């Protein structure tokens, strides 16, 4: 997440600029139509903050063909507390890189006009062009705690129990993988007013957690 990265910082930078360009890859089909993101309309629950369970790298068979059938994570509704919103937005961002690298969906999770939006678009465009997917693996859910909150902005500290990053080729096989470790990030959310949904605006790596 260095330089306002979406997630993983230099690890993702190496994957996007190194693996996907050096290893070539077949062009992927154009993005297919996607239904509107699901909104979780449950009342905000202060305990409902963490993303569930850790994520293991999928088997080759699970990704072969890239049918893009994995449903998008459910987004928090407008008015949700920022901790719950951050968990949902980060999960959605990870889903884009792992299952649906479609830059038309970026602003579903990322604030328009930000450096993070431009960066995420470049990453997804490269993954789509090369027919690849980027999978983060973790040993458990993220820990998310608010640092400061106003009506229009919220900063949160996110600790990700990251174990690695896996690059999956167009045939569903592992192209390469990197190991990673537990890391802390400072995440900025913004919204236009108190009734609008939160969006990711910046993510900065703080270092080992």
């Amino acid at each position: 997440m260095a330089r306002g990265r979406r997630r993983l910082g230099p690890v993702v930078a190496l994957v996007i600029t190194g693996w996907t360009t050096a290893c070539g890859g077949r062009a992927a089909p154009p993005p297919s139509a996607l239904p509107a993101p699901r909104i979780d309309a449950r009342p905000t629950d202060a305990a409902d903050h963490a993303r569930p369970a850790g994520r293991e790298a999928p088997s080759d068979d699970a990704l072969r063909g890239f049918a893009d059938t994995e449903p998008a994570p459910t987004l928090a509704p407008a008015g949700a507390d920022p901790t719950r919103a951050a968990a949902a937005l980060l999960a959605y961002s990870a889903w884009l890189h792992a299952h649906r690298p479609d830059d038309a969906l970026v602003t579903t999770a990322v604030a328009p006009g930000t450096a993070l939006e431009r960066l995420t678009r470049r990453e997804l465009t490269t993954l789509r062009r090369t027919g690849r997917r980027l999978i983060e693996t973790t040993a458990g859910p993220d820990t998310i705690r608010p640092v400061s909150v106003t009506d229009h902005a919220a900063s949160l500290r996110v600790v990700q129990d990251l174990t690695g990053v896996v690059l999956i080729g167009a045939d569903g096989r592992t192209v390469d993988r990197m190991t990673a470790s537990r890391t802390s990030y400072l995440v900025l959310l913004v919204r236009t007013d108190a009734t609008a949904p939160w969006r990711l605006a910046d993510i900065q790596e703080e270092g080992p957690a």
Side-chain angles (χ1 to χ4, degrees):
M1 292 190 206
R3 241 190 96 254
R5 292 212 67 82
R6 163 193 63 87
R7 299 178 70 70
L8 312 191
V11 175
V12 169
L14 176 60
V15 169
I16 296 296
T17 61
W19 287 341
T20 55
T21 54
C23 301
R26 299 196 305 271
S32 56
L34 184 71
R38 294 173 296 161
I39 304 297
D40 185 351
R42 294 174 301 164
T44 298
D45 182 347
D48 186 14
H49 291 162
R51 293 163 54 187
R55 299 183 301 283
E56 297 182 356
S59 66
D60 290 346
D61 288 340
L63 283 175
R64 188 167 289 116
F66 290 138
D68 285 343
T69 56
E70 179 72 17
T74 301
L75 298 177
D81 75 83
T83 310
R84 177 180 169 189
L89 292 167
L90 291 171
Y92 191 93
S93 178
W95 172 81
L96 286 174
H97 289 75
H99 299 285
R100 185 62 69 92
D102 181 352
D103 67 350
L105 301 176
V106 170
T107 54
T108 302
V110 182
T114 59
L116 184 61
E117 181 206 5
R118 295 189 292 273
L119 177 64
T120 304
R121 286 188 185 280
R122 289 197 300 270
E123 292 178 346
L124 297 182
T125 297
T126 299
L127 289 172
R128 174 65 66 173
R129 176 175 53 81
T130 57
R132 296 183 173 179
R133 301 294 187 270
L134 193 66
I135 313 292
E136 300 170 4
T137 59
T138 63
D142 296 350
T143 301
I144 305 176
R145 303 190 183 284
V147 176
S148 65
V149 180
T150 69
D151 284 344
H152 300 283
S155 60
L156 306 100
R157 180 156 289 107
V158 178
V159 175
Q160 187 180 27
D161 200 1
L162 188 69
T163 58
V165 183
V166 182
L167 186 68
I168 305 294
D171 60 356
R173 298 185 182 279
T174 299
V175 174
D176 212 335
R177 65 178 66 233
M178 296 183 68
T179 58
S181 59
R182 185 175 171 87
T183 304
S184 177
Y185 303 94
L186 192 63
V187 174
L188 175 66
L189 304 184
V190 295
R191 62 181 177 180
T192 55
D193 59 60
T195 63
W198 293 102
R199 293 290 182 264
L200 295 166
D202 191 32
I203 303 175
Q204 295 292 337
E205 182 177 340
E206 296 186 305

